[in-house]
Amino acid sequence: MTTTTTLQVRKDRLSDTRWVQTADAPLAPGQVRLRIEHFALTSNNITYAAFGDAMAYWRFYPTGDDGWGTIPVWGFATVTESTHPEVPVGERVYGYFPMASAVVMTPARVNPGGWNDGAPHRAELHPVYNQLTRCATDPFYTSDTEDVQALLRPLFITSWLIDDFLADNDFFGARVLLLSSASSKTAYGTAFQLAQRDGIEVVGLTSAGNVAFCESLGCYHRVLTYEQLGAIGAETPCVYVDFAGNDELRRAIHTRFVNLRHSSSIGGTHVEHLGSARDLPGPRATLFFAPAQIKKRSGEWGAQVLGQKLVGAWQAFAGRVSRPDAPWLVVDHHRGQAAVEAAYAQVLAGRGDPRRGHMLQIG
């Protein structure tokens, strides 16, 4: 009998982990079993855990133990067993998986582009995370760029939507945009998009050790350390895009900038400093939820036009990120339980070279 190995984390102390092995039960009619080949681990996954209860991320792959959760990840998998007539064994898909060696799903709404996981517990969860994409028909997919796709594709789609949301609102009347955690992949993807717009100054905020990396990207007009907020005039009309989730930094920005026009919280790379957004001066800090902007644009443009825009932007970004003479991203591969745990601890702690990305494989 085969088994599935899963990494679980304590919901109230994300540094605590455990491995759980479960025997693989026979498939019910209409189910498939997928071997998770490899998946990306980034600060975005830490955000899923940090907001696991508030944004229902823990509910995608419930553990049956309220104290422990499975962090969702983006990656590639192959169908190894199938009792579904429209999903064959051997098919390769891209999607949102658990940190595990395998997973059982119930394909629903099967079409040439992919299918949804129709498991009952996912019925109320956002469909963006329930979609499995067939690699054979995916316009984003090339076999030689799976690592870049897993690491950057979901982050870049969020980046693209942040840029689109801000432009859709005319940047709330501001022309200076402050991006925290500027070395993070979602932040520099957003900066890459914003840098293509006229009349916008994109300021990256980062730690002293990451200034050189952020400057080397060329998509920030200025890069400042968190201690250099004084370099920007206090009366400057600006927008704050918070990728860090650092309560002290958020409060400092809300307090200093008397013409702060909008404050958007994207994620939480600084988990130890996550805090409340209540009682802040200026505009209310609001959580940006990418699927809401997708829904808006799908309604206005249609899914086909939205897809074309995303694919075009992705190809430009992926080409720049992977440029051989000056890559923004160098991929490290980790295989086996010990290596996966070590990579998780490193990403959770916010350590390491921002130019490196982590691809993990449990089995």
Side-chain angles (χ1 to χ4, degrees):
M1 178 178 290
T2 60
T3 60
T4 294
T5 303
T6 305
L7 180 66
Q8 297 180 358
V9 304
R10 277 188 62 109
K11 293 179 181 179
D12 60 352
R13 190 162 60 241
L14 299 180
S15 58
D16 287 2
T17 62
R18 69 182 184 186
W19 291 97
V20 176
Q21 281 199 329
T22 53
D24 293 339
L27 297 180
Q31 289 186 323
V32 297
R33 194 184 316 278
L34 300 108
R35 180 178 63 246
I36 301 170
E37 306 285 3
H38 55 176
F39 57 86
L41 184 68
T42 71
S43 59
N44 191 46
N45 302 105
I46 306 305
T47 297
Y48 292 153
F51 292 98
D53 288 320
M55 303 297 290
Y57 292 120
W58 295 130
R59 293 173 57 192
F60 284 93
Y61 297 105
T63 65
D65 184 334
D66 288 343
W68 292 81
T70 299
I71 299 175
V73 290
W74 294 93
F76 291 88
T78 300
V79 178
T80 57
E81 296 179 59
S82 177
T83 59
H84 195 290
E86 298 177 89
V87 182
V89 170
E91 181 165 66
R92 195 170 186 82
V93 294
Y94 164 82
Y96 196 62
F97 301 111
M99 292 181 70
S101 60
V103 66
V104 173
M105 293 186 172
T106 306
R109 286 182 271 177
V110 180
N111 61 70
W115 39 272
N116 285 12
D117 184 4
H121 76 275
R122 295 178 72 159
E124 297 179 356
L125 302 176
H126 201 285
V128 165
Y129 298 109
N130 287 340
Q131 295 171 353
L132 283 296
T133 303
R134 289 174 148 157
C135 295
T137 57
D138 180 11
F140 283 86
Y141 181 79
T142 57
S143 60
D144 60 336
T145 59
E146 282 194 358
D147 290 347
V148 174
Q149 290 174 70
L151 282 160
L152 295 182
R153 176 173 168 175
L155 306 182
F156 180 71
I157 290 175
T158 299
S159 298
W160 189 92
L161 290 165
I162 295 166
D163 167 73
D164 180 65
F165 168 78
L166 293 172
D168 196 25
N169 288 277
D170 192 27
F171 303 97
F172 297 90
R175 289 297 179 267
V176 174
L177 304 182
L178 310 174
L179 277 60
S180 66
S181 198
S183 65
S184 70
K185 297 170 180 63
T186 314
Y188 70 62
T190 304
F192 177 82
Q193 290 299 114
L194 289 169
Q196 300 173 48
R197 298 189 180 276
D198 295 331
I200 300 297
E201 183 183 11
V202 185
V203 179
L205 304 175
T206 190
S207 60
N210 288 332
V211 168
F213 169 74
C214 293
E215 289 179 338
S216 75
L217 301 177
C219 55
Y220 292 105
H221 296 97
R222 277 195 284 174
V223 178
L224 302 175
T225 67
Y226 296 124
E227 295 75 27
Q228 293 176 321
L229 290 179
I232 305 172
E235 296 187 358
T236 302
C238 56
V239 166
Y240 178 43
V241 187
D242 178 13
F243 295 92
N246 185 312
D247 188 39
E248 294 180 6
L249 175 62
R250 185 191 299 121
R251 183 166 295 280
I253 287 173
H254 275 249
T255 301
R256 174 172 177 75
F257 296 106
V258 295
N259 282 321
L260 185 65
R261 300 296 176 84
H262 181 73
S263 178
S264 184
S265 178
I266 310 300
T269 59
H270 298 173
V271 175
E272 72 278 12
H273 295 302
L274 280 173
S276 172
R278 298 176 182 174
D279 304 321
L280 291 173
R284 181 179 180 180
T286 58
L287 187 64
F288 177 78
F289 189 53
Q293 189 68 9
I294 289 179
K295 182 177 180 180
K296 179 179 186 293
R297 288 310 200 189
S298 292
E300 293 171 348
W301 297 339
Q304 183 176 0
V305 171
L306 174 60
Q308 290 171 346
K309 289 177 179 287
L310 282 169
V311 169
W314 163 255
Q315 290 172 343
F317 179 66
R320 179 59 194 88
V321 164
S322 304
R323 207 172 78 186
D325 61 323
W328 290 6
L329 179 68
V330 178
V331 181
D332 292 330
H333 295 89
H334 311 266
R335 181 170 183 172
Q337 294 181 19
V340 167
E341 265 193 285
Y344 171 74
Q346 182 180 5
V347 174
L348 179 66
R351 300 192 304 268
D353 183 345
R355 201 178 296 275
R356 309 199 78 84
H358 302 283
M359 288 297 296
L360 280 53
Q361 183 178 358
I362 290 175

